[in-house]
Amino acid sequence: MLFAKRKIQLAELPLEQVRFSSEDLFCLLGGNDTCMVACGPAMLRLDHVTRDRPDKDVWRRNLVNRYSPAGWVDDEGNPCPELARVIAALGQMGVAISYDKDYANRKLGVVLGERGAVGVVKAPGFGGGWYLRPFPEDRAEWGARFREIFSPEKFPFDPAAR
């Protein structure tokens, strides 16, 4: 037991380190994410969702069972205020940017609009899922946050002339 890993509690993690499944995000959003990265046609069988509505039943129960004890959602699956702000930004109509035309290859995206901005990034390793990357409230800092998600090393580009 000397080298046993300490089990990390969700309540101890900041939002950026909480891993959400596509199904979790679909339930929280009430549908697809605007940039169609985490819960779009490549990640979920939308015909299955339309027919069986797992987001109203089994997916919602799983969401509550996983995140309610940590306070991220309540007993009905409604997000806490911090998560609600990020979910509102992810589901809003706005400018949505992802790096691949093919839905199946998308591993990150950003949504920017009136309700704020947020990135969604594929979690590495076993288990999959997604990390949410909320942007700061100060819009002057959005450029730096965007470049944290779309790093200049992997996505080099020059700013427009005007």
Side-chain angles (χ1 to χ4, degrees), residues 90-105:
L90 185 59
Q92 72 182 317
M93 295 301 294
V95 176
I97 303 166
S98 62
Y99 76 98
D100 202 310
K101 291 179 187 176
D102 183 1
Y103 294 122
N105 293 331

Side-chain angles (χ1 to χ4, degrees), residues 98-156:
S98 62
Y99 76 98
D100 202 310
K101 291 179 187 176
D102 183 1
Y103 294 122
N105 293 331
R106 293 181 180 178
K107 292 179 179 57
L108 51 92
V110 171
V111 180
L112 307 106
E114 283 188 31
R115 295 185 193 160
V118 63
V120 60
V121 178
K122 183 81 173 148
F126 180 73
W130 303 92
Y131 292 123
L132 299 175
R133 300 291 189 243
F135 281 44
E137 301 247 350
D138 182 359
R139 290 177 183 240
E141 297 175 26
W142 283 15
R145 183 60 159 169
F146 181 86
R147 293 313 271 160
E148 287 174 17
I149 296 168
F150 285 93
S151 68
E153 296 80 32
K154 292 182 182 175
F155 302 97

Side-chain angles (χ1 to χ4, degrees), residues 53-73:
R53 296 309 306 217
D55 57 311
K56 302 287 184 191
D57 186 29
V58 66
W59 291 357
R60 174 85 44 196
R61 276 196 316 270
N62 290 342
L63 173 77
V64 168
N65 289 340
R66 257 193 315 276
Y67 300 105
S68 177
W72 290 110
V73 300

Side-chain angles (χ1 to χ4, degrees), residues 26-90:
F26 190 89
C27 290
L28 289 165
L29 287 161
N32 300 321
D33 64 291
T34 302
C35 53
M36 302 291 273
V37 171
C39 47
M43 297 300 150
L44 300 172
R45 293 267 323 266
L46 298 180
D47 60 328
H48 170 72
V49 173
T50 304
R51 185 188 70 230
D52 298 336
R53 296 309 306 217
D55 57 311
K56 302 287 184 191
D57 186 29
V58 66
W59 291 357
R60 174 85 44 196
R61 276 196 316 270
N62 290 342
L63 173 77
V64 168
N65 289 340
R66 257 193 315 276
Y67 300 105
S68 177
W72 290 110
V73 300
D74 64 18
D75 291 338
E76 295 176 6
N78 301 309
C80 71
E82 179 185 6
L83 180 56
R85 183 181 73 80
V86 174
I87 291 298
L90 185 59

